Amino acid sequence: MIAHRLRQPVILGYLVVGVAVGPHALGLVGDLVLIEAVATMGVALLMFTLGLEISISQLRQVGKVGLWGGIAQILVTFALGLVVGITLLNWSLSQAVLLGLVISLSSTMVCLKILMERGELDSVHGRIMLAILILQDISVVLMVIVMPLLGGAVENLPLALATAVGKAALLVGAAIVLGLWVLPWLMGRIAGVRSRELFLLTVLVLCLGAAVGTYIFGLSVVFGAFVIGLVLRETRFAQQALAEITPLRDIFATLFFISLGMLISPRFIIDHWASVAAFVAVIIVIKFLVVFGIIRFFGFSNRIALLGGAGLFQIGEFSFILAQGGMNMGIISEQIYSLILASAIITMILTPLSMSLTSWLYPKLARAPAGLATEDASALPVPGPSEAAKPVVIAGYGRVGQNITQSLQDAKIPYTIIEIDPERVSKLRYRGIACIYGDASNAHVLAKLDLKKAKALVITFPDPLAVMTTVQAARRINPRLKIVARAHRAQEAESLKKLGVKEVVSPEYEASLEFIYRVLSVSGWKKTDIRRALAALRRDKEIAEFSPDEEP
């Protein structure tokens, strides 16, 4: 509650509570084994719901950066960790290899929770981060196989790797068979009973059963939970399963973060603060630069790359498993293990702060003078004659943007699209649609578009930071421009109105009006009466939002 009151992510509150009640502080909790088991359930449930929410088609939207960028991130980070371990830390080869493996992973739990809290799960940088994180979680399977080799416990590495890949392929094949033939029939029978308890128990058994099955196979528990979530998503019961399992997921995920806090030893951090600070700094610099460089390499803007780097520089929860295995095999000492553990927790704590700082700092840098701007104007594509600003400019070509462009095309109203996804831009150019690649929130992109000749700007993307920055940049170029923007929260809508936005569209509010329309329609109301009632609701909403007597 204190973290929420201070407008900080609640993850920080969970971690602080864990430190306070853990064995290294007040010692109120002693059975760490039980806590870790419950936390593992939280990880499995979170990955299961991630599979229910994120479809394969959504992951494909980020294109090559999700697959090849994720692979490059793991390999480059591993290589840099190996170099740092040998040259700067003077560690042995096996210790340096373990360090490279540890820092190549980021925390799915932390990033997913932050993206959910910020409402950025469906944003461009959110989808890129999730695709990279999922690839990292899959790579844990191979890393666990490599670990015994560092301790000299594996004699035939190729055979071990082939066995691991074969097990993963067998698991995926079994999941596909279940998804095509078994799960639809089973869930249909369960749903037919109309018992919420039975439905919830079935979903829970599927999730934890898949996690236990992969554990028995020697694979990561998250892999099985995520795969079964993906499979269940393709059935008609996905939304109900997500609704039933979410409360349990939130409870166990909370215990996961508290259990992480219990592992922190304040005494160790105080006694070795210089080593911990240097280790944390090295990790943050390496991971931030690698993620930033890879996202930029695939053609995305500085804003997307900055948010991606700020969100993925922490060490992941599965790094604890690798580090603990390394200590049990005698690869690293207990002091090195404590150093890795403390650094991992600190990077997790810093992640939500860095995301908030980036969101706050970027608009200020975007308004900086030309010499200090965050985008290099010479590197941006210059619009050709066909890309000159039309009467309507649409920022963002997602699902909302596609519907708007279709309506404008039917009405024969010329338009120009600004899109940050290079693959979407390529498809639009192939179809002969006027568009430019770039970040609409960047003043240089809007300036190149000759926005002074446009009559209206439609901002469709869901990222609140990007919407605010785009509005500010557009208003500086053309103060008379009519702007229609998307907002999810009342506070965002109020801020946009103060910036001069003509119309603010809330998807949730518009959906509620559509519900009201349909409910009144099936209740026998006339269409004219329904329209009159909806118009009254809109007027009441405007009065409530902008009444000077309303308390903040």
Side-chain angles (χ1 to χ4, degrees):
M1 187 185 68
I2 294 173
H4 180 72
R5 289 289 185 181
L6 296 176
R7 296 184 178 181
Q8 299 299 320
V10 293
I11 292 176
L12 297 180
Y14 299 149
L15 291 171
V16 171
V17 168
V19 174
V21 304
H24 303 290
L26 298 179
L28 301 180
V29 178
D31 193 353
L32 290 182
V33 176
L34 177 60
I35 296 297
E36 289 175 1
V38 175
T40 303
M41 292 178 63
V43 176
L45 289 171
L46 187 83
M47 293 304 296
F48 175 69
T49 55
L50 180 63
L52 285 173
E53 292 178 322
I54 304 297
S55 65
I56 299 297
S57 60
Q58 286 177 303
L59 294 177
R60 286 175 181 168
Q61 291 178 3
V62 298
K64 298 177 182 178
V65 68
L67 177 61
W68 300 113
I71 294 175
Q73 181 271 323
I74 295 173
L75 295 178
V76 174
T77 307
F78 168 77
L80 292 177
L82 184 65
V83 171
V84 168
I86 294 177
T87 58
L88 296 181
L89 302 177
N90 294 320
W91 288 1
S92 65
L93 179 60
S94 59
Q95 291 175 336
V97 169
L98 180 61
L99 174 64
L101 295 177
V102 165
I103 70 172
S104 66
L105 301 175
S106 301
S107 175
T108 304
M109 289 285 288
V110 171
C111 294
L112 185 58
K113 189 72 173 176
I114 293 174
L115 290 173
M116 286 179 175
E117 288 182 4
R118 293 168 57 90
E120 298 173 357
L121 200 60
D122 195 40
S123 63
V124 176
H125 64 272
R127 293 199 304 268
I128 292 174
M129 289 168 61
L130 286 178
I132 294 176
L133 287 166
I134 290 171
L135 200 67
Q136 289 180 359
D137 292 338
I138 295 174
S139 70
V140 172
V141 177
L142 298 179
M143 293 183 184
V144 172
I145 297 299
V146 173
M147 279 292 299
L149 177 67
L150 300 178
V154 172
E155 298 179 358
N156 193 338
L157 179 62
L159 177 61
L161 290 176
T163 302
V165 172
K167 290 179 179 178
L170 182 61
L171 176 67
V172 172
I176 292 175
V177 171
L178 285 173
L180 290 177
W181 291 286
V182 180
L183 278 184
W185 174 85
L186 174 64
M187 298 304 294
R189 292 297 182 92
I190 296 296
V193 178
R194 297 187 178 182
S195 170
R196 290 187 59 187
E197 293 84 356
L198 184 58
F199 187 88
L200 173 60
L201 284 174
T202 304
V203 172
L204 192 62
V205 167
L206 286 173
C207 171
L208 299 182
V212 172
T214 51
Y215 178 78
I216 294 175
F217 266 52
L219 304 177
S220 172
V221 293
V222 300
F223 183 64
F226 176 71
V227 169
I228 203 67
L230 277 179
V231 170
L232 189 59
R233 189 188 190 281
E234 301 305 319
T235 68
R236 63 182 184 274
F237 307 101
Q239 296 304 319
Q240 184 62 27
L242 182 62
E244 296 289 353
I245 207 71
T246 297
L248 281 177
R249 176 202 68 185
D250 293 340
I251 293 173
F252 285 104
T254 298
L255 290 175
F256 168 80
F257 290 110
I258 294 176
S259 68
L260 290 183
M262 293 179 185
L263 298 176
I264 301 178
S265 173
R267 173 57 58 186
F268 177 85
I269 296 176
I270 294 173
D271 294 341
H272 304 86
W273 67 268
S275 300
V276 172
F279 201 68
V280 168
V282 169
I283 293 171
I284 291 177
V285 170
I286 289 177
K287 300 198 71 174
F288 178 85
L289 292 179
V290 169
V291 175
F292 178 87
I294 288 174
I295 295 178
R296 286 291 291 147
F297 176 79
F298 281 91
F300 292 90
S301 69
N302 279 344
R303 183 180 65 85
I304 302 299
L306 283 170
L307 289 170
L312 292 176
F313 68 63
Q314 78 286 137
I315 297 180
E317 52 270 3
F318 295 108
S319 298
F320 300 147
I321 299 175
L322 298 178
Q324 190 172 32
M327 184 179 66
N328 295 335
M329 296 175 189
I331 300 174
I332 58 175
S333 63
E334 186 175 352
Q335 183 172 357
I336 294 179
Y337 171 75
S338 299
L339 177 64
I340 293 175
L341 186 64
S343 302
I345 301 297
I346 291 175
T347 56
M348 287 182 177
I349 293 175
L350 293 177
T351 300
L353 300 178
S354 71
M355 291 283 288
S356 300
L357 180 62
T358 304
S359 300
W360 174 79
L361 190 61
Y362 181 83
K364 300 181 182 300
L365 295 178
R367 295 195 299 268
L372 299 175
T374 56
E375 295 279 5
D376 183 4
S378 62
L380 294 170
V382 181
S386 63
E387 296 168 338
K390 302 294 192 300
V392 178
V393 177
I394 302 173
Y397 192 67
R399 287 176 295 180
V400 176
Q402 291 171 17
N403 291 334
I404 294 174
T405 55
Q406 184 62 50
S407 299
L408 292 176
Q409 188 172 347
D410 294 341
K412 296 182 180 180
I413 299 177
Y415 59 87
T416 303
I417 298 172
I418 307 176
E419 174 57 46
I420 199 171
D421 189 333
E423 294 189 8
R424 286 180 180 173
V425 172
S426 299
K427 293 178 181 178
L428 288 170
R429 290 181 184 275
Y430 179 77
R431 292 164 51 190
I433 297 176
C435 65
I436 66 168
Y437 162 73
D439 187 353
S441 64
N442 187 273
H444 291 291
V445 176
L446 296 178
K448 294 286 184 180
L449 189 62
D450 194 13
L451 200 61
K452 292 182 179 180
K453 297 180 181 179
K455 294 182 179 179
L457 171 64
V458 184
I459 306 173
T460 67
F461 34 74
D463 187 348
L465 166 65
V467 173
M468 295 287 292
T469 311
T470 302
V471 170
Q472 292 170 344
R475 294 284 294 174
R476 284 195 299 270
I477 297 174
N478 185 357
R480 294 178 297 179
L481 183 68
K482 293 181 175 63
I483 302 177
V484 181
R486 177 177 177 177
H488 291 277
R489 298 178 176 89
Q491 185 178 4
E492 297 170 13
E494 184 178 351
S495 300
L496 291 173
K497 287 285 187 179
K498 290 180 180 179
L499 292 176
V501 175
K502 184 69 175 177
E503 295 288 344
V504 177
V505 179
S506 171
E508 291 80 4
Y509 178 69
E510 297 300 327
S512 69
L513 293 182
E514 182 66 21
F515 269 104
I516 293 173
Y517 180 90
R518 294 177 183 271
V519 170
L520 295 179
S521 178
V522 298
S523 300
W525 279 43
K526 296 180 180 180
K527 290 185 177 181
T528 54
D529 295 336
I530 296 176
R531 294 193 185 98
R532 193 178 299 113
L534 293 179
L537 284 174
R538 288 186 182 276
R539 286 195 302 270
D540 293 342
K541 180 176 183 292
E542 292 177 359
I543 294 173
E545 284 183 348
F546 302 106
S547 174
D549 297 329
E550 181 186 22
E551 294 188 7

